[in-house]
Amino acid sequence: MEISLVKLLSRDGATETYRFPLELTEIEISGTAYPVLESQPVELVLTHEGNHVLRITGGTKLKLELSCARCLCPVEKEFDLTFDRKIDFNLSEEEREDLEEDSSFADKESLYVELLIRNELLVQWPIRVLCKDDCKGICSRCGANLNVQTCDCDTAVPDPRMAAIRDIFSKFKEV
Ligand SMILES: [Zn+2]
Ligand SMILES: [Zn+2]
């Protein structure tokens, strides 16, 4: 979805309001495509504050399908996005890139709604999601999902960090 900014930026003080469905079945974040399960209409208010300074406000809500960091099961995650950005088109592209905020979702001709949404999603993106707090994950040996089954693998040995801790404890015992 692309919104033309040409007319808006030709008149100081002009405002345009938009409300439209988000027609995305999936959204790509850092190379992975996540299915969009539900979304509310995108609302946008674009204000030309004068002298080629554009303010973008609005928001949307969407539900994406992520996967559990431990067992890889699908996990539904809701995002409540709020936009409030200001872009000064008097700055060169390089100068805008130097600013903390990424403004690649717009140039003087167009606002790219999908990029704006992706940008906002990145801000809120969880470090990791779990299907439940006590997800038991997947057996590192046989790949069994340990939430639904048990396996006979010997998991007492594998982790070298645990072995190091055991060493420390056995030293204490010797003292
Ligand atoms: Zn899980
Ligand atoms: Zn196993």
Side-chain angles (χ1 to χ4, degrees):
M1 175 83 192
E2 194 177 325
I3 294 174
S4 172
L5 298 177
V6 176
K7 204 172 137 202
L8 185 72
L9 291 177
S10 67
R11 287 174 299 140
D12 279 8
T15 296
E16 289 177 2
T17 305
Y18 294 88
R19 185 184 158 90
F20 51 86
L22 181 67
E23 282 163 354
L24 280 178
T25 53
E26 56 182 32
I27 195 152
E28 197 196 307
I29 303 282
S30 313
T32 306
Y34 297 93
V36 178
L37 302 174
E38 278 174 41
S39 60
Q40 285 187 10
V42 180
E43 294 186 16
L44 284 176
V45 179
L46 310 181
T47 308
H48 181 192
E49 295 192 332
N51 193 29
H52 292 94
V53 175
L54 175 69
R55 177 126 187 247
I56 303 163
T57 58
T60 185
K61 279 185 190 169
L62 67 167
K63 193 189 272 181
L64 300 184
E65 186 183 296
L66 278 57
S67 51
C68 173
R70 287 187 197 149
C71 74
L72 309 177
C73 287
V75 179
E76 291 183 3
K77 171 89 180 138
E78 270 186 352
F79 293 89
D80 191 347
L81 305 182
T82 310
F83 314 124
D84 191 356
R85 300 296 188 95
K86 199 182 258 195
I87 301 182
D88 185 348
F89 287 111
N90 299 299
L91 302 175
S92 70
E93 212 163 291
E94 291 75 36
E95 284 172 315
R96 287 201 280 132
E97 274 172 17
D98 287 343
L99 294 173
E100 290 278 297
E101 291 199 355
D102 183 359
S103 59
S104 59
F105 50 82
D107 54 39
K108 272 183 181 174
E109 280 79 45
S110 303
L111 170 70
Y112 304 96
V113 178
E114 192 182 335
L115 285 179
L116 176 69
I117 289 172
R118 193 193 294 169
N119 220 289
E120 210 57 49
L121 274 173
L122 277 171
V123 175
Q124 295 191 15
W125 202 253
I127 294 166
R128 66 170 191 173
V129 288
L130 294 176
C131 59
K132 50 186 177 187
D133 287 342
D134 62 346
C135 171
K136 296 187 180 76
I138 289 175
C139 171
S140 57
R141 296 213 156 175
C142 71
N145 183 339
L146 301 175
N147 297 309
V148 293
Q149 63 182 106
T150 51
C151 64
D152 298 324
C153 298
D154 179 8
T155 50
V157 192
D159 194 334
R161 287 165 300 174
M162 284 309 291
I165 290 167
R166 267 195 299 274
D167 287 349
I168 292 167
F169 276 111
S170 58
K171 272 185 198 130
F172 275 120
K173 267 184 222 152
E174 284 162 21
V175 172

